[in-house]
Amino acid sequence: MKSINRFSQSITILAIVVGSLVPVTTKAQDSAAFLEEIIVTAARRAESIQDSSLIIEAFNTEKIVDQGIDDMVDLSSVVPSLQIGLAGPQLQMFIRGVGSPNATIVGSPAIALSKDGTYLARTQSVHGAFFDLERIEVLKGPQGTLYGRNATGGAVNLITVAPEIGATGGYLQADVGNFSKVHIEGAINIPMGDSLATRLSAISMNRDGYMSDDTMDDQHYAVRLQTLWEPSDKVSWRFQGQYADYGGRGLGGFTYAGASDAWESIYPGGNDILLANLATGPVVPSVAFPWITDALIVGPAPTPPFPPGTNLISGIRLIGDTADQELTTWDVGFRLDVDLDWATLTVQPSYQEIESFLRNTPGPQFQIGDPFNGLAPETSEATTLEVRLAGESDRLQWVAGVYLFDEDQFGPTRVNQGPAQNLYVENYFETESLGIFAETTFNVSDQSRLIVGARYSDDDIVKPDFIRWSVTPAFDCPPGAPNEFVINGVTACQVSPPTTESASFDSFDWNVVYEYDLSDDSMMFLKASTGYKAGGLSAVAGAAFGPEELDAYELGFRNLFMDGRLQVNGDIFFWDYKDRQENIVGPDELGIIGQATVNAGETSIQGIGVDVLFAASDRDLIRVGAEFLDAEYDSFTYNVAAPFLIPSATCPESPTGNIINLPPPFGPVPEFQIDCTGFEATRSPRLTWNVAYTHTFELASGASLDATIDGSYKDEVWTTATFLTEQRAPDLTLWNARLTYNSPSDAFKIVAYVTNISDDASFSSGLNHTQIPQLVGLSPTNPRTYGLRLRRNF
């Protein structure tokens, strides 16, 4: 009832706002080109944002270059509702509070990523794709019809610059800045006759780390080759291949909530801090556990960078500063379009491969890689195929198709916390997915349209030969244990025999939109849609977690006023989010502690988003965008073993009456239910906004100089679902400035910039410690950066 009342209040507010904006007549306005029109293809057809009922933000090449959008983290700073966090090489992405907290290969993102219409199986693939882009599109809300696969919260589409037949050209761009940043990229378009062209583009990025131990660096390069062949006016074939390589230190060196400096790593000196603060605690001589090198230390937590009040049990000193990463991705694919006169046939296959090794040290050592086989990397091999038909008549536009997805993954993961836990798991996942979809747009009249879409999705997941190991030294793997193995010189105990688990899920999703033109330059629309994200199998032993579903209801508007000088777009939304997938720390069916995925009952999300562009004069442009979000768990309970109850937990807890058998040193312990119903949903800032002002100076030479200042704000959020003070990321206000010189013929551009002028920080992601729930690793936002960007078009 409370959610309905909040939604009713929001409807009333929006009705007042819209009522004040809608023109009193339907007389056509002279929409002079004061504001640039952006054409998007997110609905599988080209259309202006002002003519679309998609909740979408888009950035063309000029905006990407001017604003320095080099990666997904940069993108989140200019899209109010988009939250991006780093979890090693993977991304934790949320739109309007809907997303995925995964930090491993388990599960999939709730925000679908695609490049030139091809779904990207893993978020790591997007890192090396931010170069030579024509456009970036950010869709908000479930995309259950045309995108379908795991697009509960929205989609981000990267559209690269395509080869151009009959034209020679390209660009060269260099960006140098603090943290020893040297970013170079470029592209060349080569015509090869009347029907063929090739485009070659590449990027090289080298930047030191933002953290004091030089983690959070960026060392990567990528190359992309495209070929466009149009043998006739009815056939178009576009091939693309891309390779990217990431090195450097990677994310490692997490800082912890309560640290005085967000970019001060736990290293160097972490061991000294730990031991100095535990000097008065009881010490168990190492002779009690002769296979353990260091004494077991039990005592209170140190002062920051560790949160106060933590009851710390540590069997070893901090392992050391060993953060590094190796990541390679490559993909190939093509798109074939054939004009059949009555429809257009599109065939789009792709193959994607990822190899990833990661090691970082946020207290325990977290490592992606197989220790038995020379640190064999995590891998993903994915094949996709989409075949669709699209056509149109005077009153009808339609598209229908079939989507196939097949992925094989190997996820070797080790968490080394000495005797407390030195765990290694071998996860194999085999995923097959089928989607059948159709969508039509029917022109009911000259002023109104009805859009109806549907999709059937089927997902099958198998986890064969799942094995868990405990590596020496560990409490549950003493020397001479009966389950002990020595593999390539590594001693480990096999905790579980090989087992095979499987799960299947399916869903029918739909989309209904009614669009009505109030005038030539004003439109309103009503939209109802559903979204689905497949369930999966955890990296721990136990039952599968279920799929999540989202029912969305939206009222939106698009307006141009003042002869095209003022653009006012916005929407009000109410989302019913069922079985949200959340990560918790607890024992699995074998009693082994790890990160588990559970379904969080039901979540209510509602809010208002508004985006305003105003050309105050021919030389002054103002933008204001804001979103208000109200997201709350209507039901969220999960169970946990007694040793992992959090003493300062804010969620009520009660015994279930069950007994769980944990490995040494715990033994049989009671189970408790944690009830977090009524809490604000994770990664759901109540208020976000951004503002920008640009003044253009026209120079006598015909060149122009754009002076821009912009700012953004994101409210405080819960980073994890444990809801402790240490896990509450503070709000963050950022101010940036840039000066852009554009040559008379647009042959070259020079941008001087500074971002995060005040050098403020918050945290963009969170991971709970598997032995100390109060201890959460947080990834800080970017510090102050500045530099000079030069671009030469030819």
Side-chain angles (χ1 to χ4, degrees):
M1 180 64 68
K2 185 167 60 175
S3 296
I4 294 175
N5 289 337
R6 287 197 300 262
F7 183 56
S8 299
Q9 293 169 3
S10 299
I11 285 284
T12 303
I13 294 171
L14 184 68
I16 295 172
V17 173
V18 172
S20 66
L21 296 174
V22 172
V24 295
T25 71
T26 59
K27 181 180 179 180
Q29 300 175 16
D30 178 17
S31 298
F34 294 111
L35 300 176
E36 181 180 6
E37 182 181 41
I38 295 181
I39 303 298
V40 296
T41 55
R44 308 299 192 193
R45 63 177 184 269
E47 60 181 343
S48 168
I49 285 183
Q50 291 306 107
D51 297 330
S52 173
S53 54
L54 294 171
I55 312 300
I56 185 172
E57 292 191 44
F59 304 86
N60 58 18
T61 302
E62 183 179 6
K63 295 299 182 185
I64 294 170
V65 175
D66 287 351
Q67 298 188 206
I69 302 175
D70 293 333
D71 53 32
M72 289 290 290
V73 174
D74 292 333
L75 184 62
S76 68
S77 67
V78 294
V79 179
S81 59
L82 180 62
Q83 316 292 313
I84 300 292
L86 296 173
Q90 299 211 54
L91 295 174
Q92 295 180 344
M93 302 182 295
F94 290 79
I95 291 180
R96 291 179 169 175
V98 178
S100 172
N102 286 335
T104 65
I105 67 171
V106 176
S108 298
I111 311 301
L113 294 173
S114 70
K115 184 180 68 174
D116 293 326
T118 295
Y119 176 77
L120 300 178
R122 297 287 122 194
T123 63
Q124 297 97 312
S125 297
V126 78
H127 292 303
F130 274 77
F131 66 104
D132 198 21
L133 294 177
E134 176 185 316
R135 190 171 64 257
I136 302 173
E137 300 173 349
V138 180
L139 287 78
K140 306 174 186 178
Q143 309 298 314
T145 302
L146 295 180
Y147 293 83
R149 176 166 173 76
N150 298 332
T152 323
V156 177
N157 302 330
L158 305 182
I159 295 90
T160 66
V161 178
E164 184 178 354
I165 293 173
T168 300
Y171 74 95
L172 184 63
Q173 179 176 308
D175 186 339
V176 294
N178 61 331
F179 294 97
S180 302
K181 177 182 179 181
V182 179
H183 167 193
I184 299 173
E185 68 174 83
I188 184 169
N189 192 90
I190 305 172
M192 306 174 70
D194 296 334
S195 61
L196 189 67
T198 293
R199 188 176 183 91
L200 178 65
S201 49
I203 182 174
S204 171
M205 170 72 85
N206 287 278
R207 176 182 52 74
D208 291 344
Y210 294 143
M211 302 291 290
S212 62
D213 63 353
D214 208 26
T215 53
M216 290 188 70
D217 59 345
D218 190 348
Q219 311 289 331
H220 81 273
Y221 68 88
V223 61
R224 181 186 304 137
L225 176 66
Q226 299 184 79
T227 300
L228 177 63
W229 181 43
E230 295 181 347
S232 71
D233 59 358
K234 292 183 176 294
V235 177
S236 175
W237 182 87
R238 180 181 173 186
F239 164 84
Q240 183 180 115
Q242 179 178 299
Y243 174 82
D245 183 287
Y246 265 77
R249 308 209 61 201
L251 181 63
F254 277 46
T255 188
Y256 293 88
S260 58
D261 183 347
W263 301 287
E264 178 65 35
S265 169
I266 194 170
Y267 296 103
N271 288 324
D272 296 335
I273 295 173
L274 177 63
L275 295 178
N277 282 273
L278 294 179
T280 58
V283 175
V284 180
S286 60
V287 69
F289 305 97
W291 64 96
I292 299 173
T293 302
D294 293 323
L296 177 67
I297 301 171
V298 182
T303 55
F306 293 91
T310 301
N311 295 317
L312 182 64
I313 300 176
S314 177
I316 59 170
R317 300 178 182 184
L318 298 173
I319 291 169
D321 190 5
T322 56
D324 63 333
Q325 71 170 2
E326 298 173 13
L327 170 66
T328 60
T329 72
W330 64 274
D331 61 84
V332 293
F334 67 83
R335 170 172 169 163
L336 175 65
D337 292 298
V338 181
D339 185 352
L340 304 176
D341 293 330
W342 60 276
T344 298
L345 170 68
T346 299
V347 180
Q348 194 162 1
S350 79
Y351 176 78
Q352 309 163 30
E353 189 168 307
I354 297 173
E355 290 190 356
S356 176
F357 167 78
L358 170 72
R359 177 171 51 200
N360 65 20
T361 49
Q365 185 185 74
F366 178 78
Q367 177 177 292
I368 294 176
D370 181 353
F372 300 140
N373 295 290
L375 297 178
E378 175 182 289
T379 60
S380 167
E381 300 176 5
T383 303
T384 72
L385 173 64
E386 182 165 299
V387 179
R388 62 181 183 268
L389 283 169
E392 62 179 292
S393 61
D394 291 341
R395 302 188 66 179
L396 187 69
Q397 293 177 316
W398 58 273
V399 60
V402 176
Y403 175 79
L404 300 173
F405 175 83
D406 184 280
E407 183 183 22
D408 292 328
Q409 296 171 270
F410 171 53
T413 305
R414 182 181 179 185
V415 178
N416 186 354
Q417 302 177 103
Q421 183 184 60
N422 196 342
L423 181 68
Y424 169 64
V425 294
E426 293 180 352
N427 275 305
Y428 295 88
F429 290 96
E430 299 171 356
T431 303
E432 294 182 354
S433 180
L434 165 69
I436 303 172
F437 61 90
E439 185 169 284
T440 64
T441 300
F442 177 68
N443 296 325
V444 179
S445 68
D446 292 340
Q447 290 180 287
S448 61
R449 294 158 300 282
L450 180 66
I451 301 173
V452 179
R455 186 183 190 109
Y456 172 75
S457 302
D458 181 86
D459 292 276
D460 297 302
I461 304 171
V462 178
K463 184 169 69 171
D465 300 327
F466 170 64
I467 303 176
R468 301 195 72 160
W469 301 87
S470 187
V471 184
T472 298
F475 288 131
D476 55 352
C477 189
N483 57 344
E484 182 183 84
F485 291 80
V486 179
I487 303 175
N488 293 334
V490 178
T491 302
C493 297
Q494 185 173 311
V495 179
S496 64
T499 58
T500 296
E501 301 174 4
S502 62
S504 296
F505 312 95
D506 63 357
S507 179
F508 178 81
D509 294 288
W510 50 268
N511 176 44
V512 177
V513 186
Y514 180 71
E515 300 177 348
Y516 185 78
D517 295 333
L518 300 167
S519 73
D520 288 349
D521 292 321
S522 294
M523 176 183 75
M524 294 188 68
F525 58 87
L526 287 169
K527 182 176 184 178
S529 61
T530 65
Y532 151 84
K533 177 186 172 187
L537 299 165
S538 293
V540 296
F545 56 89
E548 60 181 36
E549 299 176 351
L550 194 150
D551 298 332
Y553 306 93
E554 295 161 318
L555 168 65
F557 54 91
R558 302 278 185 269
N559 292 290
L560 283 174
F561 302 109
M562 299 176 63
D563 295 331
R565 288 186 179 272
L566 175 63
Q567 175 182 297
V568 182
N569 296 339
D571 71 308
I572 183 170
F573 53 93
F574 176 80
W575 295 354
D576 184 12
Y577 195 6
K578 289 170 283 192
D579 296 322
R580 176 191 183 112
Q581 295 167 8
E582 286 282 11
N583 275 6
I584 64 165
V585 172
D588 63 13
E589 291 183 356
L590 299 174
I592 298 174
I593 310 306
Q595 296 276 356
T597 302
V598 299
N599 293 105
E602 192 164 351
T603 307
S604 293
I605 302 175
Q606 49 268 317
I608 299 174
V610 177
D611 190 69
V612 177
L613 275 173
F614 177 44
S617 72
D618 294 345
R619 298 181 181 182
D620 296 280
L621 180 64
I622 300 170
R623 178 181 179 180
V624 178
E627 287 199 356
F628 173 78
L629 184 67
D630 181 15
E632 180 182 296
Y633 294 108
D634 294 332
S635 62
F636 179 19
T637 61
Y638 62 92
N639 296 343
V640 67
F644 297 92
L645 289 174
I646 303 173
S648 56
T650 46
C651 299
E653 52 197 41
S654 59
T656 65
N658 297 329
I659 299 296
I660 297 178
N661 291 312
L662 297 183
F666 300 109
V669 296
E671 179 187 61
F672 282 74
Q673 182 184 79
I674 309 298
D675 188 350
C676 296
T677 300
F679 275 78
E680 177 187 282
T682 57
R683 315 293 177 90
S684 303
R686 290 183 67 83
L687 176 64
T688 57
W689 54 254
N690 61 6
V691 296
Y693 168 68
T694 299
H695 179 78
T696 300
F697 298 90
E698 301 291 347
L699 305 181
S701 63
S704 64
L705 192 65
D706 295 334
T708 300
I709 184 167
D710 62 74
S712 64
Y713 172 83
K714 292 189 178 182
D715 215 339
E716 58 184 3
V717 296
W718 293 113
T719 58
T720 71
T722 314
F723 304 110
L724 298 181
T725 302
E726 296 85 3
Q727 298 161 358
R728 184 78 164 167
D731 59 1
L732 178 64
T733 304
L734 298 178
W735 290 102
N736 317 301
R738 64 181 181 271
L739 199 60
T740 304
Y741 172 84
N742 299 288
S743 67
S745 59
D746 291 328
F748 64 91
K749 176 191 294 280
I750 304 174
V751 183
Y753 63 89
V754 55
T755 65
N756 190 5
I757 296 172
S758 57
D759 205 27
D760 289 333
S762 184
F763 302 97
S764 58
S765 65
L767 293 173
N768 284 102
H769 193 291
T770 55
Q771 297 295 317
I772 312 165
Q774 303 97 313
L775 198 57
V776 61
L778 295 171
S779 173
T781 54
N782 295 347
R784 180 193 299 119
T785 60
Y786 52 85
L788 193 67
R789 188 178 306 119
L790 300 89
R791 183 182 176 98
R792 178 70 166 90
N793 299 313
F794 57 86

